[in-house]
Amino acid sequence: MLNKSFKLLIGLLIVFSFSSLLAADLTKEQINQVLQEAYTKYKGDVGGKNADYIKALDIVDPDIFGITMVDKNGNVYEIGNTKQLVSIQSISKVFTAALVMSEKGSKFVQEKIGVNATGAAFNSIIAIEQHGGSASNPFVNAGAIQSTSWVSAKDSQERWRKISANMSAYAGRNLKLNKDVYDSEVNDNKRNQAISKLLDAYGRMGSDPLEATTVYTKQCSMNVSSHDLAVMASTIANHGVNPVTKSRVIAAKYTPKIMAIMATAGLYDNAGDWLYDTGAPAKSGVGGGIIAIVPGEFGIAVVSPPLDTYGNSVRAQLAIKYIINKLHLNPYAQ
Ligand code: GLU
Protein backbone atom coordinates (compact mmCIF):
# COMPACT_ATOMS: atom_id res chain seq x y z
CA MET A 1 0.00 0.00 0.00
CA LEU A 2 2.75 2.37 1.06
CA ASN A 3 4.73 1.28 -1.95
CA LYS A 4 1.77 2.13 -4.23
CA SER A 5 1.29 5.63 -2.78
CA PHE A 6 5.01 6.22 -3.02
CA LYS A 7 4.97 5.33 -6.73
CA LEU A 8 1.98 7.60 -7.27
CA LEU A 9 3.78 10.46 -5.54
CA ILE A 10 6.91 9.97 -7.67
CA GLY A 11 4.69 9.84 -10.78
CA LEU A 12 2.99 13.09 -9.84
CA LEU A 13 6.31 14.74 -9.13
CA ILE A 14 7.63 13.73 -12.55
CA VAL A 15 4.49 15.04 -14.30
CA PHE A 16 4.63 18.23 -12.27
CA SER A 17 8.28 18.97 -12.93
CA PHE A 18 7.84 18.25 -16.65
CA SER A 19 4.78 20.48 -16.94
CA SER A 20 6.56 23.30 -15.13
CA LEU A 21 8.81 23.53 -18.19
CA LEU A 22 5.86 24.16 -20.48
CA ALA A 23 4.93 27.54 -21.84
CA ALA A 24 1.71 27.73 -19.86
CA ASP A 25 3.70 27.83 -16.65
CA LEU A 26 5.77 30.86 -17.51
CA THR A 27 5.16 33.69 -15.10
CA LYS A 28 3.96 37.10 -16.28
CA GLU A 29 7.18 38.57 -14.92
CA GLN A 30 9.30 36.18 -17.00
CA ILE A 31 7.38 37.05 -20.17
CA ASN A 32 7.49 40.81 -19.56
CA GLN A 33 11.21 40.62 -18.77
CA VAL A 34 12.02 38.84 -22.05
CA LEU A 35 9.84 41.26 -24.06
CA GLN A 36 11.70 44.15 -22.46
CA GLU A 37 15.06 42.53 -23.33
CA ALA A 38 14.04 41.96 -26.95
CA TYR A 39 12.80 45.53 -27.25
CA THR A 40 15.96 47.05 -25.79
CA LYS A 41 18.26 44.77 -27.77
CA TYR A 42 16.75 45.47 -31.19
CA LYS A 43 15.26 48.96 -30.91
CA GLY A 44 18.43 50.53 -32.34
CA ASP A 45 18.82 48.00 -35.18
CA VAL A 46 18.82 49.88 -38.45
CA GLY A 47 18.88 46.91 -40.82
CA GLY A 48 16.45 46.69 -43.73
CA LYS A 49 14.39 49.17 -45.66
CA ASN A 50 10.68 49.97 -45.93
CA ALA A 51 8.87 48.43 -48.92
CA ASP A 52 8.85 51.03 -51.67
CA TYR A 53 7.08 49.28 -54.54
CA ILE A 54 3.89 50.51 -52.83
CA LYS A 55 4.56 54.24 -52.48
CA ALA A 56 2.53 54.77 -49.30
CA LEU A 57 4.63 52.15 -47.46
CA ASP A 58 7.86 53.96 -48.16
CA ILE A 59 6.80 56.94 -46.04
CA VAL A 60 5.78 54.99 -42.93
CA ASP A 61 7.96 55.80 -39.90
CA PRO A 62 10.74 53.16 -39.93
CA ASP A 63 11.25 53.54 -36.18
CA ILE A 64 7.87 52.07 -35.26
CA PHE A 65 8.59 49.03 -33.10
CA GLY A 66 5.85 47.26 -31.16
CA ILE A 67 5.94 43.79 -29.60
CA THR A 68 2.81 42.04 -28.29
CA MET A 69 2.14 38.55 -26.96
CA VAL A 70 -1.32 37.21 -26.10
CA ASP A 71 -1.71 33.95 -24.22
CA LYS A 72 -4.50 31.38 -24.46
CA ASN A 73 -6.34 33.04 -21.55
CA GLY A 74 -6.36 36.43 -23.27
CA ASN A 75 -3.61 37.98 -21.11
CA VAL A 76 -1.71 40.63 -23.07
CA TYR A 77 2.02 41.36 -22.69
CA GLU A 78 3.40 44.23 -24.72
CA ILE A 79 6.05 46.88 -25.14
CA GLY A 80 6.82 49.74 -27.55
CA ASN A 81 4.50 51.21 -30.21
CA THR A 82 1.91 48.49 -29.83
CA LYS A 83 -1.08 50.64 -30.81
CA GLN A 84 0.60 52.18 -33.86
CA LEU A 85 -1.33 51.20 -37.01
CA VAL A 86 0.29 49.88 -40.20
CA SER A 87 -1.27 48.07 -43.16
CA ILE A 88 -1.64 44.33 -42.62
CA GLN A 89 -0.51 43.40 -46.17
CA SER A 90 0.29 39.70 -46.61
CA ILE A 91 -0.69 38.73 -43.07
CA SER A 92 -4.30 39.18 -44.26
CA LYS A 93 -3.74 36.15 -46.52
CA VAL A 94 -3.86 33.84 -43.50
CA PHE A 95 -7.33 34.97 -42.46
CA THR A 96 -8.91 34.98 -45.90
CA ALA A 97 -7.52 31.49 -46.60
CA ALA A 98 -9.01 30.43 -43.26
CA LEU A 99 -12.36 31.88 -44.33
CA VAL A 100 -12.29 29.90 -47.58
CA MET A 101 -11.37 26.80 -45.58
CA SER A 102 -14.36 27.36 -43.29
CA GLU A 103 -16.68 27.78 -46.23
CA LYS A 104 -15.36 25.15 -48.60
CA GLY A 105 -13.29 22.74 -46.51
CA SER A 106 -9.57 22.02 -46.21
CA LYS A 107 -9.48 19.67 -49.24
CA PHE A 108 -10.72 22.49 -51.44
CA VAL A 109 -7.84 24.75 -50.38
CA GLN A 110 -5.34 21.95 -50.87
CA GLU A 111 -6.61 20.98 -54.31
CA LYS A 112 -7.70 24.30 -55.80
CA ILE A 113 -4.98 26.59 -54.41
CA GLY A 114 -2.26 24.27 -53.07
CA VAL A 115 -0.23 24.01 -49.87
CA ASN A 116 3.33 23.67 -51.13
CA ALA A 117 6.26 26.09 -51.12
CA THR A 118 7.08 27.84 -54.39
CA GLY A 119 10.76 28.50 -53.69
CA ALA A 120 10.19 31.82 -55.46
CA ALA A 121 9.33 35.40 -54.54
CA PHE A 122 5.86 36.26 -53.18
CA ASN A 123 4.82 37.95 -56.43
CA SER A 124 6.41 35.48 -58.82
CA ILE A 125 4.69 34.87 -62.15
CA ILE A 126 7.16 32.27 -63.32
CA ALA A 127 6.33 30.09 -60.28
CA ILE A 128 2.75 29.79 -61.57
CA GLU A 129 4.01 28.57 -64.94
CA GLN A 130 6.52 26.21 -63.37
CA HIS A 131 3.78 24.60 -61.29
CA GLY A 132 1.38 23.90 -64.11
CA GLY A 133 -0.80 26.96 -63.60
CA SER A 134 -1.07 26.51 -59.82
CA ALA A 135 -0.42 29.26 -57.26
CA SER A 136 1.09 26.55 -54.99
CA ASN A 137 -0.18 28.06 -51.72
CA PRO A 138 -2.51 30.80 -50.41
CA PHE A 139 0.31 32.95 -48.99
CA VAL A 140 1.96 34.01 -52.23
CA ASN A 141 0.12 36.77 -54.06
CA ALA A 142 -1.29 34.36 -56.65
CA GLY A 143 -2.82 32.03 -54.06
CA ALA A 144 -4.06 34.92 -51.96
CA ILE A 145 -5.87 36.56 -54.87
CA GLN A 146 -7.36 33.15 -55.56
CA SER A 147 -8.53 32.82 -51.91
CA THR A 148 -10.20 36.21 -52.12
CA SER A 149 -12.00 35.12 -55.29
CA TRP A 150 -13.29 31.94 -53.63
CA VAL A 151 -15.02 33.67 -50.68
CA SER A 152 -18.70 33.01 -51.41
CA ALA A 153 -20.35 36.31 -52.28
CA LYS A 154 -22.91 37.61 -54.73
CA ASP A 155 -20.80 40.67 -55.55
CA SER A 156 -17.67 42.58 -54.69
CA GLN A 157 -19.32 44.51 -51.82
CA GLU A 158 -20.42 41.33 -50.11
CA ARG A 159 -16.98 39.76 -50.61
CA TRP A 160 -15.34 42.77 -48.97
CA ARG A 161 -17.87 42.86 -46.11
CA LYS A 162 -17.21 39.20 -45.33
CA ILE A 163 -13.43 39.48 -45.54
CA SER A 164 -13.24 42.59 -43.35
CA ALA A 165 -15.73 41.17 -40.81
CA ASN A 166 -13.70 37.98 -40.67
CA MET A 167 -10.40 39.78 -39.96
CA SER A 168 -12.17 41.96 -37.38
CA ALA A 169 -13.49 38.87 -35.57
CA TYR A 170 -9.94 37.53 -35.22
CA ALA A 171 -8.78 40.94 -33.94
CA GLY A 172 -11.75 41.39 -31.60
CA ARG A 173 -12.45 44.89 -32.87
CA ASN A 174 -13.64 46.61 -36.04
CA LEU A 175 -10.57 46.99 -38.22
CA LYS A 176 -10.51 49.97 -40.59
CA LEU A 177 -9.11 50.51 -44.05
CA ASN A 178 -5.94 52.56 -44.51
CA LYS A 179 -7.24 54.71 -47.34
CA ASP A 180 -3.81 56.14 -48.30
CA VAL A 181 -2.27 52.70 -48.66
CA TYR A 182 -5.28 51.41 -50.59
CA ASP A 183 -5.29 54.37 -53.01
CA SER A 184 -1.57 54.05 -53.55
CA GLU A 185 -1.63 50.27 -54.04
CA VAL A 186 -4.74 50.07 -56.19
CA ASN A 187 -3.00 52.24 -58.78
CA ASP A 188 0.18 50.22 -58.54
CA ASN A 189 -1.10 46.64 -58.62
CA LYS A 190 -0.67 45.87 -62.33
CA ARG A 191 1.49 42.86 -61.57
CA ASN A 192 -1.20 41.38 -59.30
CA GLN A 193 -3.78 42.05 -62.03
CA ALA A 194 -1.59 40.09 -64.45
CA ILE A 195 -1.30 37.23 -61.96
CA SER A 196 -5.08 37.09 -61.54
CA LYS A 197 -5.63 36.99 -65.30
CA LEU A 198 -3.09 34.21 -65.71
CA LEU A 199 -4.76 32.15 -62.98
CA ASP A 200 -8.12 32.78 -64.63
CA ALA A 201 -6.72 31.40 -67.88
CA TYR A 202 -5.88 28.23 -65.93
CA GLY A 203 -9.46 28.04 -64.59
CA ARG A 204 -8.40 28.67 -60.99
CA MET A 205 -10.41 31.78 -60.08
CA GLY A 206 -13.74 31.79 -58.25
CA SER A 207 -14.81 35.25 -59.43
CA ASP A 208 -13.86 37.90 -61.97
CA PRO A 209 -10.04 38.21 -61.69
CA LEU A 210 -9.83 42.00 -61.58
CA GLU A 211 -12.67 42.27 -59.09
CA ALA A 212 -10.89 39.76 -56.83
CA THR A 213 -7.60 41.66 -57.21
CA THR A 214 -9.27 44.90 -56.10
CA VAL A 215 -10.78 43.24 -53.01
CA TYR A 216 -7.44 41.55 -52.29
CA THR A 217 -5.71 44.95 -52.47
CA LYS A 218 -8.26 46.31 -50.02
CA GLN A 219 -7.76 43.44 -47.56
CA CYS A 220 -4.00 44.10 -47.65
CA SER A 221 -4.68 47.77 -46.80
CA MET A 222 -6.45 47.05 -43.52
CA ASN A 223 -4.88 48.90 -40.59
CA VAL A 224 -3.59 46.83 -37.66
CA SER A 225 -1.25 47.26 -34.70
CA SER A 226 1.01 44.67 -33.10
CA HIS A 227 -1.70 44.40 -30.44
CA ASP A 228 -4.34 43.54 -33.07
CA LEU A 229 -2.04 41.09 -34.81
CA ALA A 230 -1.17 39.26 -31.61
CA VAL A 231 -4.87 38.83 -30.75
CA MET A 232 -5.45 37.52 -34.28
CA ALA A 233 -2.54 35.08 -33.96
CA SER A 234 -3.64 33.97 -30.50
CA THR A 235 -7.05 33.03 -31.92
CA ILE A 236 -5.33 30.52 -34.19
CA ALA A 237 -3.09 29.38 -31.31
CA ASN A 238 -6.19 28.92 -29.15
CA HIS A 239 -7.83 26.42 -31.55
CA GLY A 240 -10.02 29.05 -33.24
CA VAL A 241 -11.49 30.79 -30.19
CA ASN A 242 -10.48 34.44 -29.75
CA PRO A 243 -9.07 34.33 -26.19
CA VAL A 244 -9.97 37.98 -25.55
CA THR A 245 -13.58 38.07 -26.83
CA LYS A 246 -14.11 34.32 -26.21
CA SER A 247 -15.90 34.03 -29.60
CA ARG A 248 -15.25 31.06 -31.84
CA VAL A 249 -14.01 32.36 -35.18
CA ILE A 250 -13.07 29.12 -36.97
CA ALA A 251 -13.58 25.41 -36.29
CA ALA A 252 -10.76 23.85 -34.27
CA LYS A 253 -10.20 21.22 -36.97
CA TYR A 254 -8.91 23.90 -39.37
CA THR A 255 -6.31 25.65 -37.21
CA PRO A 256 -3.65 22.90 -37.61
CA LYS A 257 -4.10 23.16 -41.38
CA ILE A 258 -3.64 26.94 -41.32
CA MET A 259 -0.54 26.61 -39.15
CA ALA A 260 0.89 23.97 -41.52
CA ILE A 261 0.67 26.41 -44.43
CA MET A 262 2.21 29.14 -42.26
CA ALA A 263 5.12 26.82 -41.45
CA THR A 264 5.60 25.97 -45.13
CA ALA A 265 5.19 29.38 -46.72
CA GLY A 266 4.73 32.04 -44.06
CA LEU A 267 8.00 33.92 -44.54
CA TYR A 268 8.06 33.83 -48.32
CA ASP A 269 10.99 31.88 -49.72
CA ASN A 270 12.86 32.17 -46.42
CA ALA A 271 10.30 30.05 -44.55
CA GLY A 272 12.71 27.13 -44.11
CA ASP A 273 15.34 29.20 -42.33
CA TRP A 274 12.67 30.71 -40.13
CA LEU A 275 11.27 27.32 -39.11
CA TYR A 276 14.77 26.01 -38.49
CA ASP A 277 15.46 28.89 -36.11
CA THR A 278 12.11 29.07 -34.30
CA GLY A 279 9.87 26.08 -35.07
CA ALA A 280 6.95 28.53 -35.05
CA PRO A 281 4.35 28.84 -37.81
CA ALA A 282 4.43 32.49 -38.84
CA LYS A 283 3.36 35.00 -41.46
CA SER A 284 4.92 38.28 -42.49
CA GLY A 285 3.65 41.24 -44.47
CA VAL A 286 5.43 44.00 -46.36
CA GLY A 287 3.80 46.57 -44.04
CA GLY A 288 6.37 45.38 -41.45
CA GLY A 289 4.30 43.02 -39.33
CA ILE A 290 5.04 39.40 -38.47
CA ILE A 291 2.79 37.04 -36.53
CA ALA A 292 4.08 33.81 -34.99
CA ILE A 293 2.19 31.08 -33.21
CA VAL A 294 3.06 28.83 -30.32
CA PRO A 295 0.28 26.27 -30.80
CA GLY A 296 -2.10 26.00 -27.87
CA GLU A 297 -0.26 28.74 -25.99
CA PHE A 298 0.57 32.13 -27.54
CA GLY A 299 0.13 34.49 -30.44
CA ILE A 300 3.15 36.77 -30.89
CA ALA A 301 3.25 39.83 -33.14
CA VAL A 302 5.85 42.45 -33.91
CA VAL A 303 5.49 45.51 -36.12
CA SER A 304 8.58 47.26 -37.53
CA PRO A 305 8.53 48.47 -41.18
CA PRO A 306 12.11 47.97 -42.48
CA LEU A 307 12.34 44.71 -44.46
CA ASP A 308 15.10 42.36 -45.57
CA THR A 309 15.48 41.30 -49.21
CA TYR A 310 12.85 38.56 -48.83
CA GLY A 311 10.26 41.14 -47.69
CA ASN A 312 10.33 40.16 -43.99
CA SER A 313 10.64 42.74 -41.20
CA VAL A 314 14.19 42.70 -39.86
CA ARG A 315 13.46 43.75 -36.26
CA ALA A 316 10.33 41.58 -36.09
CA GLN A 317 12.32 38.48 -37.02
CA LEU A 318 15.06 39.29 -34.53
CA ALA A 319 12.63 40.02 -31.69
CA ILE A 320 10.43 36.96 -32.24
CA LYS A 321 13.45 34.64 -32.54
CA TYR A 322 14.83 36.06 -29.30
CA ILE A 323 11.52 35.67 -27.44
CA ILE A 324 10.87 32.12 -28.66
CA ASN A 325 14.34 30.91 -27.85
CA LYS A 326 14.67 32.72 -24.52
CA LEU A 327 11.28 31.48 -23.28
CA HIS A 328 11.85 27.97 -24.73
CA LEU A 329 8.72 28.18 -26.85
CA ASN A 330 9.94 26.32 -29.95
CA PRO A 331 7.05 23.86 -30.51
CA TYR A 332 9.47 21.15 -31.65
CA ALA A 333 11.33 21.38 -28.35
CA GLN A 334 8.30 20.64 -26.12
N1 GLU B 1 -0.35 43.89 -51.06
C1 GLU B 1 0.98 43.39 -51.24
C2 GLU B 1 1.17 42.88 -52.65
O1 GLU B 1 0.23 42.37 -53.20
C3 GLU B 1 1.18 42.31 -50.24
C4 GLU B 1 2.53 41.72 -50.34
C5 GLU B 1 3.06 41.20 -49.05
O2 GLU B 1 2.82 41.68 -47.95
O3 GLU B 1 3.83 40.23 -49.19
O4 GLU B 1 2.21 43.02 -53.21
Side-chain angles (χ1 to χ4, degrees), residues 51 53-54 57 87-93 122-123 139-142 144-145 181 185 188-189 191-192 195 213 216-221 268 283-289 307 310-312:
Y53 76 100
I54 300 167
L57 298 186
S87 56
I88 187 167
Q89 296 299 338
S90 260
I91 304 173
S92 68
K93 296 169 176 174
F122 66 96
N123 58 358
F139 297 166
V140 288
N141 286 8
I145 298 168
V181 171
E185 194 170 353
D188 258 352
N189 68 353
R191 191 179 176 90
N192 285 340
I195 287 173
T213 306
Y216 160 79
T217 305
K218 228 171 173 175
Q219 88 179 32
C220 289
S221 309
Y268 308 117
K283 183 73 200 88
S284 61
V286 295
L307 312 176
Y310 294 102
N312 299 317

Side-chain angles (χ1 to χ4, degrees), residues 106-322:
S106 54
K107 263 269 160 281
F108 179 90
V109 171
Q110 186 169 24
E111 282 164 7
K112 201 77 187 179
I113 303 175
V115 293
N116 282 311
T118 62
F122 66 96
N123 58 358
S124 174
I125 290 178
I126 215 159
I128 303 172
E129 290 295 332
Q130 276 168 343
H131 295 97
S134 166
S136 293
N137 70 68
F139 297 166
V140 288
N141 286 8
I145 298 168
Q146 251 192 294
S147 296
T148 302
S149 81
W150 284 110
V151 171
S152 312
K154 63 177 184 307
D155 55 25
S156 189
Q157 282 74 17
E158 191 185 359
R159 192 181 318 286
W160 170 241
R161 263 201 309 279
K162 285 178 72 175
I163 287 174
S164 52
N166 179 58
M167 285 198 279
S168 296
Y170 279 93
R173 75 173 186 95
N174 247 335
L175 299 177
K176 298 264 170 352
L177 189 71
N178 183 325
K179 189 88 175 50
D180 292 343
V181 171
Y182 176 67
D183 289 343
S184 154
E185 194 170 353
V186 84
N187 291 315
D188 258 352
N189 68 353
K190 305 270 186 311
R191 191 179 176 90
N192 285 340
Q193 293 179 24
I195 287 173
S196 74
K197 288 273 196 181
L198 181 59
L199 289 167
D200 196 35
Y202 281 113
R204 299 256 175 190
M205 295 294 286
S207 71
D208 175 78
L210 296 185
E211 179 262 315
T213 306
T214 303
V215 178
Y216 160 79
T217 305
K218 228 171 173 175
Q219 88 179 32
C220 289
S221 309
M222 212 56 146
N223 255 342
V224 285
S225 60
S226 70
H227 181 102
D228 293 323
L229 288 172
V231 178
M232 295 169 93
S234 70
T235 301
I236 300 175
N238 192 35
H239 316 288
V241 173
N242 182 319
V244 177
T245 65
K246 313 292 180 207
S247 300
R248 174 162 294 285
V249 183
I250 186 170
K253 66 179 175 185
Y254 293 133
T255 55
K257 305 280 185 201
I258 295 295
M259 287 189 275
I261 315 173
M262 292 172 80
T264 306
L267 262 71
Y268 308 117
D269 40 335
N270 201 36
D273 279 307
W274 173 262
L275 202 62
Y276 194 82
D277 288 340
T278 65
K283 183 73 200 88
S284 61
V286 295
I290 297 187
I291 58 172
I293 293 173
V294 180
E297 300 290 349
F298 292 102
I300 309 174
V302 177
V303 166
S304 167
L307 312 176
D308 65 13
T309 50
Y310 294 102
N312 299 317
S313 165
V314 172
R315 278 195 215 110
Q317 290 178 83
L318 291 168
I320 297 174
K321 273 185 205 171
Y322 182 85

